[in-house]
Amino acid sequence: MSLRDEQQALTRRKVLETVLELLAEGSLDDLSVPAVSKRSGVSLATIYRYFPTRDELLSAAAAEPSRSALGRAPERRADDDDLTAFQRAMWNDFAANLPLLRHQVASTAGREMRAERTERSRALLAGYVQGQGIDPRTEAGERLISLLMLTSGSLALLELHDRQGLTVDDALERSGWAMRALLDASRVSQPARPAGTKPRQTSRPKPR
């Protein structure tokens, strides 16, 4: 990454962190791009170059918890595996910024950003599934990854915490139970292969 690219990445992150700071101090309805510019010290022209609309700015800020969780070593509990530790860090950050998460789900820009992240999430879960002894390239592996995305993603948090009123820890416990049940069921249904044979390939390319 060039020095210019690094500077642009730092500026972009500064803007998004400022959005989170302002949201913590007030409501989403009161948050404006000029307020973000004033607090961050980044010009309006620069902010609009990175984020042409307010919706795109808010949707990008809503994605910060997952980016942050990926970029740091999450605090682990005794019974956490890698996925659970990452999910706990991400969900706690999401829960602190629920208005942004709701906005991302409802807005066109937010849905487009979520769609762009789908393959990255799928690839991360493919690695996790492989580590659990299930081939992600089989039909059973692909089915498992789809359901893990459903039970561990931000929409699951909105359902369990925001809509059903569970604490983040209780929501994580139920999500974790569902993921373990899915893993166990997939292991049982996965056909045994003779030694030395390769798993059957599906039409989906192997995540890189």
Side-chain angles (χ1 to χ4, degrees), residues 95-145:
N97 298 286
L98 280 175
L100 280 175
L101 185 57
R102 297 184 195 111
H103 179 274
Q104 187 183 52
V105 170
S107 71
T108 299
R111 288 193 294 271
E112 289 174 352
M113 290 188 68
R114 285 171 55 82
E116 290 173 3
R117 295 198 304 271
T118 295
E119 286 307 310
R120 185 181 68 184
S121 298
R122 192 181 298 277
L124 287 170
L125 283 169
Y128 173 76
V129 164
Q130 182 118 34
Q132 298 296 313
I134 298 170
D135 192 330
R137 296 167 294 179
T138 62
E139 182 178 351
E142 289 196 345
R143 182 172 59 237
L144 173 61
I145 289 169

Side-chain angles (χ1 to χ4, degrees), residues 49-205:
R49 186 164 67 247
Y50 293 137
F51 311 102
T53 67
R54 180 176 180 270
D55 270 0
E56 289 179 78
L57 173 61
L58 297 180
S59 295
E64 279 297 279
S66 58
R67 186 204 60 78
S68 176
L70 279 169
R72 69 179 189 269
E75 181 179 345
R76 299 175 70 99
R77 298 188 180 181
D79 56 347
D80 282 352
D81 59 17
D82 290 342
L83 178 60
T84 304
F86 168 72
Q87 184 187 4
R88 187 182 304 281
M90 184 173 63
W91 278 24
N92 276 303
D93 285 353
F94 273 142
N97 298 286
L98 280 175
L100 280 175
L101 185 57
R102 297 184 195 111
H103 179 274
Q104 187 183 52
V105 170
S107 71
T108 299
R111 288 193 294 271
E112 289 174 352
M113 290 188 68
R114 285 171 55 82
E116 290 173 3
R117 295 198 304 271
T118 295
E119 286 307 310
R120 185 181 68 184
S121 298
R122 192 181 298 277
L124 287 170
L125 283 169
Y128 173 76
V129 164
Q130 182 118 34
Q132 298 296 313
I134 298 170
D135 192 330
R137 296 167 294 179
T138 62
E139 182 178 351
E142 289 196 345
R143 182 172 59 237
L144 173 61
I145 289 169
S146 293
L147 291 174
L148 288 177
M149 289 176 69
L150 179 65
T151 54
S152 66
S154 56
L155 291 179
L157 174 63
L158 282 179
E159 173 61 33
L160 294 170
H161 176 60
D162 198 19
R163 186 176 174 189
Q164 296 189 28
L166 299 178
T167 66
V168 175
D169 278 345
D170 285 344
L172 280 163
E173 189 279 327
R174 296 191 187 190
S175 172
W177 177 89
M179 289 192 289
R180 288 190 297 274
L182 288 166
L183 282 165
D184 290 344
S186 295
R187 290 190 186 101
V188 170
S189 64
Q190 184 172 246
R193 297 192 306 271
T197 60
K198 295 182 179 180
R200 180 176 66 84
Q201 296 282 340
T202 65
S203 57
R204 188 186 303 281

